[in-house]
Amino acid sequence: MIHAVNQLDGGDDLTWIPACADPRVCLVVSTTPGPVFDALDPSWPRLAVQPLDTAERRALVVRFLAARSSELDRDRLKRIVAAEQSAVPLFTCSKCLKDTQLGSLRSRWYTTLPDTTVATNHRTAR
């Protein structure tokens, strides 16, 4: 996986990417539309990643956090799902991971802080 090729120095010079890899290897390259996308081998299959709808956002957040034994309260989950940026899966997962780590830190050492914890490293009683 080579992510965000469009952000690398060198622009659309993609000669360093192997033209013909071992058939047992699957190479995935992500980029935004533009010169770098156009410079990729046109014979490679292409897939446009579409924004997530609200049901997909909710499912992603719940599954992502459940895999880390974490969860959100209902209000926080609604706010994240409603946020326009959460239509992008990478943003959503990064945000959940960051919030999970911060939540764990806050719950361990800063128990006197106001309730600003986004996610915790344990399941809470409902």
Side-chain angles (χ1 to χ4, degrees), residues 60-79:
L60 175 61
V61 170
V62 169
R63 284 194 316 252
F64 187 86
L65 292 174
R68 287 154 183 80
S69 299
S70 298
E71 62 184 2
L72 295 173
D73 63 68
R74 288 183 184 151
D75 290 336
R76 184 64 181 157
L77 179 59
K78 283 181 184 178
R79 284 196 302 269

Side-chain angles (χ1 to χ4, degrees), residues 50-125:
Q50 301 300 318
L52 301 175
D53 64 32
T54 54
E56 292 168 325
R57 296 175 199 183
R58 177 180 299 280
L60 175 61
V61 170
V62 169
R63 284 194 316 252
F64 187 86
L65 292 174
R68 287 154 183 80
S69 299
S70 298
E71 62 184 2
L72 295 173
D73 63 68
R74 288 183 184 151
D75 290 336
R76 184 64 181 157
L77 179 59
K78 283 181 184 178
R79 284 196 302 269
I80 289 177
V81 168
E84 187 176 326
Q85 304 95 321
S86 68
V88 178
L90 180 61
F91 172 88
T92 305
C93 290
S94 298
K95 178 75 171 137
C96 288
L97 185 58
K98 178 182 174 188
D99 291 347
T100 300
Q101 292 167 344
L102 288 175
S104 174
L105 179 68
R106 288 179 183 146
S107 66
R108 277 191 234 151
W109 289 295
Y110 299 104
T111 56
T112 59
L113 282 178
D115 186 18
T116 56
T117 302
V118 174
T120 63
N121 63 341
H122 62 279
R123 296 197 181 273
T124 55

Side-chain angles (χ1 to χ4, degrees), residues 5 9-20 36 39-41 44:
V5 167
D9 290 337
D12 57 356
D13 177 15
L14 303 178
T15 56
W16 56 272
I17 296 178
C20 184
V36 174
L40 289 170
D41 186 334
W44 290 4

